[in-house]
């Protein structure tokens, strides 16, 4: 029988535990402190860390209950060791280390970003590699070439300023929609016209495309929206949301498909919190059909931060024969996608 | 028959002990203020080699710097959960105090930012909840002080205390998170000329020698409202803080952001800073700048949290040997 893996995620504001057996999802429990952060208009590290400690034990117990297994049944533990907020990461890493030591089981310290892509293994039987990965979240926007998800991932391009999710948050804020911005803009956009305003698509033309072929830039777009709002007293909120969203989504998908074409890879995986965006999912499907690229996007519920993705990456590492991490994992707040499983 | 695993991460020292029926089987530590997360599992792994059958986990609950403290608590709680055993929390200062043979004394540990966590003990009983204060204020009490260095929260003492003391279930943070919602009774309003005298009084208290004089303050304030804005924070009708911003062509400079000592870390500075940024935004400038002294790490986390990034340092700016750090936040 495939190994039973429990994954812990605490890199930002979600305290999450997932349990998988091989590629089968058994439990996925998330306790979010986002309500508290709404008052501040963004995630406050110390508030998040306190909340992690408060809910950690309960979330583990709940996940075991959901999966109908006991802690002593778990074959291996997996935990996000970076990137993320250091104080927040340490709550998860310390908890996972204790569980592994107490039960004398292996522990895998894994990369949060790669885990976002690994979660796709829970919803498709396709071999994950090689593929092009579009990783879009509040902290990251990158195009990856995934030769092997647990051993060999190369960054082809990334954002030179704001992350896509950050752009959603900031624009939602200047439009007075609130926090977090992604779902709020997604909902507004459904009521508006994506063609109402022609917002800029940065790094898609002329010299830019040569120099920053697979890179993104969203700060100009943000400025353009802000200028438009200032110059248009009676702006239509839904139209602005739809047109802004279209500009971001258009660039993300165009560049990903360009990476597929150039590398001859015919598989595209889209992952991360922004992959829950409904327009991104819809447009990616249309364009991939035309480009004859196989598209995989995890279910929206598994795109935002969760423990199942961490368990999934741990499980893949085991199946690929990767050695577990040593006792005393160092959390790394700035880990890059090439640091996949901690030594 | 009981075997206890004890853990303390409330100081720069990570300590682990195993005590079986009052016999100490293992007691080791490692000194490193930023490595509790890595050190603790290694020490516990070593301890378990000596004795792996544990019946109870006892955890030092602080007070202590947050990140290290939480590593120990998260670890201890999860260990107990995995083994299906109980855990108890004990105030870490108490574990230092039991070793001290005095009648009236203070136990204190480093709280960083030039502050100390401390508690007073009279006849071996703690007098109230642990507190956090400026080191000088504790000295003024004129009571013998015992700091970590000579003493540390000994995990073996934690075990002793767990048999007699009331255990606690929540971490002793003492300090509030850097960001806190502004208390409801705080009112923020525009500064008027009538506030100038109060404000310059606060200036003197907070900045001492480098404080703006009343005349300098008046001059600054004269730019309002054309090219500057000043706000005050009021608690029960009394001014407890203020902030001012000056608008240039494309940027805005925050000239001061001041909260009286006794009202710090309640979210007042953060709220004033937020209002300053909003004012800058309403003037449609591209960026907000501010300057602070190098080493002023009290305010720096707040600035960084609000999106300010260090752009340059100016040496000998405030005075010879004092470097100014310029921080900048881009606006959309
Ligand atoms: Zn994420």
């Amino acid at each position: 029988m495939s190994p039973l893996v429990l994954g812990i995620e605490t890199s930002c504001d979600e305290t999450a535990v997932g349990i998988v057996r091989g590629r089968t999802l058994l439990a996925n429990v998330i306790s979010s402190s986002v309500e508290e952060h709404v008052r501040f208009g963004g995630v406050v590290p110390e508030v998040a860390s306190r909340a992690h400690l408060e809910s950690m034990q309960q979330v583990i117990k709940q996940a075991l209950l959901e999966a109908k297994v006991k802690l002593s049944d778990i074959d291996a533990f997996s935990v996000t060791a970076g990137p993320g907020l250091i104080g927040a990461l340490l709550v998860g890493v310390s908890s996972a280390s204790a569980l592994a030591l107490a039960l004398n089981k292996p522990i895998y310290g894994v990369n949060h970003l790669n885990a976002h892509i690994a979660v796709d293994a829970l919803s498709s039987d396709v071999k994950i590699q090689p593929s092009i990965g579009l990783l879009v979240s509040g902290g990251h926007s990158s195009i990856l070439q995934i030769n092997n998800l647990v051993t060999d991932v190369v960054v082809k391009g990334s954002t030179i300023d704001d992350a896509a999710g950050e752009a959603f948050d900031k624009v939602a804020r200047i439009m007075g929609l609130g926090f977090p911005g992604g779902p709020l803009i997604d909902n507004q956009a459904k009521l508006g016209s994506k063609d109402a305003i022609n917002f800029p698509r940065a790094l898609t033309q002329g010299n830019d495309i040569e120099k920053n072929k697979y890179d993104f830039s969203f700060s100009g777009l943000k400025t353009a929206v802000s200028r438009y709002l200032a110059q248009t007293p009676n702006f239509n909120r839904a139209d602005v949301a739809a047109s802004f969203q279209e500009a971001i989504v258009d660039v993300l998908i165009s560049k990903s498909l360009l990476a597929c074409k150039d590398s001859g890879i015919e598989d595209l995986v889209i992952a991360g919190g922004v992959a829950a965006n409904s327009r991104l999912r819809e447009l990616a499907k249309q364009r991939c059909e035309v480009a004859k690229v196989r598209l995989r996007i995890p279910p929206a519920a598994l795109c935002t931060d969760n423990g199942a993705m961490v368990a999934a990456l741990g499980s893949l590492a085991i199946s690929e024969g990767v050695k577990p991490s040593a006792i005393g994992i160092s959390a790394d707040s700035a880990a890059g996608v090439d640091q996949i499983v901690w030594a | 028959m009981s075997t206890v695993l004890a853990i303390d991460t409330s100081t720069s020292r990570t300590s682990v002990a195993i005590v079986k029926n009052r016999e100490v089987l293992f007691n080791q530590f490692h000194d490193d203020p930023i490595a509790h997360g890595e050190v603790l599992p290694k020490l516990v792994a070593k301890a378990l080699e000596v004795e792996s059958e544990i019946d109870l986990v006892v955890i030092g609950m602080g007070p202590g710097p947050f990140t290290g403290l939480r590593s120990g608590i998260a670890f201890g709680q999860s260990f107990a959960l995995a083994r299906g055993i109980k855990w108890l929390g004990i105030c870490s200062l108490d574990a230092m105090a039991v070793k001290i043979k005095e009648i009236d004394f203070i136990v204190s540990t480093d709280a960083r930012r030039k502050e100390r966590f401390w508690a007073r003990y009279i006849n071996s009983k703690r007098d109230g909840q642990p507190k956090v204060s400026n080191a000088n204020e504790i000295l003024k009490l004129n009571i013998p002080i015992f700091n970590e260095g000579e003493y540390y929260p000994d995990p073996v003492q934690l075990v002793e205390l767990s048999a007699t003391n009331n255990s606690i279930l929540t971490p002793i943070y003492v300090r509030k998170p850097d960001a806190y919602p502004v208390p409801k009774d705080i009112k923020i309003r525009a500064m008027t000329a009538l506030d100038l005298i109060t404000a310059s009084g606060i200036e003197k208290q907070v900045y001492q020698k480098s404080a703006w004089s009343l005349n300098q303050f008046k001059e600054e304030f004269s730019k309002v409202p054309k090219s500057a804005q000043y706000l005050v924070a009021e608690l029960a009708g009394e001014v407890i803080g203020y902030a001012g911003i000056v608008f240039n062509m494309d940027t805005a400079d925050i000239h001061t952001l001041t909260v009286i000592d006794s009202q710090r870390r309640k979210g007042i500075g953060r709220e004033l800073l937020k209002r300053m940024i909003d004012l800058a935004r309403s003037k449609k400038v591209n960026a907000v700048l501010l300057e602070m002294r190098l080493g002023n790490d009290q305010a720096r986390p707040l600035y960084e949290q609000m999106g300010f990034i260090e752009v340059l340092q100016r040496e000998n700016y405030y005075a010879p040997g004092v470097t100014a750090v310029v921080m900048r936040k881009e606006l959309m």
Side-chain angles (χ1 to χ4, degrees), chain A residues 39-47 49-50 53-54 56-57 60-61 64 71-72 86-87 90-99 101-103 170-171 173-174 222-223 226 230 327-331, chain B residues 34 36-42 44-45 48 66-83 87 171 173-181 270 274 281 284 305 329 331-332:
Chain A
R39 291 184 291 176
F40 303 115
V43 175
V44 181
E46 178 55 25
V47 172
S49 303
R50 287 186 184 194
L53 184 61
E54 270 165 34
M56 189 81 254
Q57 303 301 309
I60 297 173
K61 286 182 202 161
L64 292 166
L71 257 183
S72 53
I86 192 71
L90 271 165
V91 175
V93 168
S94 296
S95 297
S97 300
L99 295 173
L101 265 179
L103 299 167
K170 286 182 176 170
V171 167
R173 201 180 303 154
I174 52 175
K222 189 182 67 190
T223 313
S226 148
I327 291 170
I329 294 168
S330 306
Chain B
I34 55 160
H36 303 91
E38 295 121 67
V39 169
L40 183 58
K42 289 179 189 160
V44 171
L48 293 176
F66 300 152
T67 301
L69 180 64
R70 255 193 307 267
S71 291
I73 299 174
F75 186 99
Q77 290 179 337
S78 297
F79 190 94
L81 179 71
R83 289 288 182 93
W87 67 271
Y173 286 129
V174 184
R175 232 181 227 154
K176 288 180 173 163
D178 280 326
Y180 225 64
R270 186 185 172 89
K274 248 177 68 193
R281 202 164 269 147
K284 302 199 168 42
Q305 233 171 51
K329 178 189 168 67
L331 299 180
M332 40 201 97

Side-chain angles (χ1 to χ4, degrees), chain A residues 239-314:
Chain A
D239 284 347
V240 178
S243 304
F244 157 75
Q245 176 176 277
E246 191 69 13
I248 283 210
V249 164
D250 179 19
V251 178
L252 290 174
I253 297 170
S254 307
K255 294 220 171 193
S256 303
L257 287 174
L258 187 62
C260 288
K261 191 168 156 238
D262 292 349
S263 59
I265 293 173
E266 290 172 335
D267 282 90
L268 174 64
V269 190
I270 304 183
V274 178
N277 180 277
S278 66
R279 178 61 186 157
L280 176 68
R281 299 173 84 92
E282 181 183 50
L283 192 66
K285 200 166 159 248
Q286 288 171 14
R287 297 253 185 100
C288 284
E289 263 169 29
V290 175
K292 303 213 160 39
V293 163
R294 280 182 300 268
L295 171 69
R296 303 196 308 274
I297 313 183
L302 293 178
C303 285
T304 45
D305 293 353
N306 62 79
M309 67 190 214
V310 180
L313 182 51

Side-chain angles (χ1 to χ4, degrees), chain A residues 9 11-12 14 83 112-113 115-116 135-140 271-274 303-306 309:
Chain A
E9 153 64 32
S11 66
C12 190
E14 327 274 2
H112 177 90
L113 305 172
H116 267 302
L135 182 64
V136 269
S137 71
H140 293 268
V274 178
C303 285
T304 45
D305 293 353
N306 62 79
M309 67 190 214

Side-chain angles (χ1 to χ4, degrees), chain B residues 105-124:
Chain B
F105 62 94
I106 285 169
V107 169
S108 132
T109 58
D110 187 9
R112 299 184 187 158
R113 308 171 181 163
K114 297 180 183 131
E115 290 185 327
R116 313 277 306 169
F117 293 118
W118 64 284
R120 182 175 177 180
Y121 293 81
I122 304 170
N123 290 323
S124 57

Side-chain angles (χ1 to χ4, degrees), chain B residues 113-308:
Chain B
R113 308 171 181 163
K114 297 180 183 131
E115 290 185 327
R116 313 277 306 169
F117 293 118
W118 64 284
R120 182 175 177 180
Y121 293 81
I122 304 170
N123 290 323
S124 57
K125 244 194 101 211
R126 172 153 42 83
D127 181 31
Q129 291 300 312
K131 304 172 198 43
V132 65
S133 321
N134 191 288
N136 293 329
E137 277 168 49
I138 312 173
L139 282 174
K140 277 186 213 152
L141 295 172
N142 217 1
I143 299 168
I145 302 171
F146 297 87
N147 298 317
E148 85 266 45
E150 358 168 27
Y151 294 94
Y152 278 97
D154 185 339
V156 174
Q157 302 307 325
L158 286 177
V159 177
E160 292 276 315
L161 288 169
S162 71
T164 55
N165 250 36
N166 290 337
S167 61
I168 46 174
L169 294 176
T170 46
I172 308 175
Y173 286 129
V174 184
R175 232 181 227 154
K176 288 180 173 163
D178 280 326
Y180 225 64
V182 178
K184 284 193 197 76
D185 41 3
I186 298 282
K187 199 180 127 195
I188 308 246
R189 59 166 175 81
M191 187 185 267
T192 70
L194 295 173
D195 297 313
L196 280 174
I197 300 208
T198 324
S200 71
I202 296 175
E203 270 283 310
K204 275 200 197 79
Q205 187 220 327
V206 173
Y207 302 109
Q208 291 149 18
K209 276 187 194 148
S210 50
W212 283 342
S213 67
L214 183 58
N215 275 338
Q216 273 171 302
F217 222 130
K218 278 183 181 158
E219 203 185 305
E220 278 284 320
F221 190 69
S222 67
K223 298 174 197 157
V224 177
K226 242 187 121 195
S227 61
Q229 274 298 337
Y230 272 77
L231 299 177
V232 298
E234 234 182 35
L235 174 65
E238 212 174 302
V239 173
I240 53 160
Y242 49 85
I245 189 164
V246 176
F247 308 108
N248 309 317
M249 195 63 154
D250 294 321
T251 60
D253 293 331
I254 295 176
H255 273 202
T256 182
L257 179 68
T258 308
V259 177
I260 58 170
D261 288 337
S262 59
Q263 299 292 336
R264 300 256 170 90
R265 282 189 214 104
K266 293 186 174 174
I268 300 162
R270 186 185 172 89
E271 186 61 28
L272 284 170
L273 181 56
K274 248 177 68 193
R275 303 282 185 112
M276 292 288 110
I277 295 168
D278 288 346
L279 285 171
R281 202 164 269 147
S282 72
K283 292 276 177 188
K284 302 199 168 42
V285 296
N286 295 329
V288 192
L289 288 100
L290 61 83
E291 266 155 18
M292 60 170 188
R293 282 152 191 265
L294 186 66
N296 178 5
D297 34 22
Q298 272 199 10
R300 192 172 177 127
L302 169 65
Y303 298 147
E304 284 174 350
Q305 233 171 51
M306 299 293 284
F308 284 85

Side-chain angles (χ1 to χ4, degrees), chain A residues 21-242:
Chain A
R21 186 179 288 287
R23 286 186 166 208
T24 311
L25 177 63
L26 300 182
N28 190 27
V29 177
I30 301 170
S31 159
S32 174
S33 57
V34 70
E35 287 291 312
E36 291 184 55
H37 302 295
V38 166
R39 291 184 291 176
F40 303 115
V43 175
V44 181
E46 178 55 25
V47 172
S49 303
R50 287 186 184 194
H52 286 311
L53 184 61
E54 270 165 34
S55 40
M56 189 81 254
Q57 303 301 309
Q58 205 46 47
V59 174
I60 297 173
K61 286 182 202 161
Q62 191 64 37
L64 292 166
L65 217 63
E66 220 171 74
K68 298 187 182 69
V69 296
K70 296 195 295 288
L71 257 183
S72 53
D73 299 330
I74 304 291
D75 296 305
F77 294 92
S78 182
V79 62
T80 298
L85 306 168
I86 192 71
L89 287 168
L90 271 165
V91 175
V93 168
S94 296
S95 297
S97 300
L99 295 173
L101 265 179
L103 299 167
N104 200 18
K105 295 288 166 60
I107 180 170
Y108 291 82
V110 301
N111 186 303
H112 177 90
L113 305 172
N114 296 285
H116 267 302
I117 295 165
V119 81
D120 179 60
L122 302 174
S123 44
S124 85
D125 290 332
V126 191
K127 242 180 112 57
I128 289 191
Q129 54 268 15
S131 46
I132 293 297
L134 170 65
L135 182 64
V136 269
S137 71
H140 293 268
S141 307
S142 320
I143 292 180
L144 311 173
Q145 181 166 331
I146 302 157
N147 300 318
N148 179 320
L149 185 54
V150 289
T151 56
D152 184 6
V153 175
V154 183
V155 181
K156 290 185 78 80
S158 52
T159 180
I160 59 173
D161 40 58
D162 294 348
E166 212 178 342
F168 272 97
D169 279 343
K170 286 182 176 170
V171 167
R173 201 180 303 154
I174 52 175
M175 288 175 68
L177 293 174
F179 171 86
L184 294 168
I185 287 187
D186 197 347
N187 284 335
Q188 272 294 319
K190 287 185 181 129
L191 312 169
S193 157
K194 65 180 168 57
D195 304 315
I197 310 142
N198 188 16
F199 286 126
R201 270 85 164 149
L203 309 182
T204 53
Q205 274 153 10
N207 273 345
D208 287 341
I209 191 82
E210 307 223 326
K211 256 176 63 195
N212 298 90
K213 201 166 185 187
Y214 309 116
D215 293 327
F216 305 110
S217 165
F218 299 116
S219 81
L221 172 57
K222 189 182 67 190
T223 313
V225 173
S226 148
R227 198 175 302 137
Y228 177 85
L229 294 179
Q231 289 165 355
T232 321
N234 300 316
F235 64 84
N236 180 321
R237 194 171 269 211
D239 284 347
V240 178

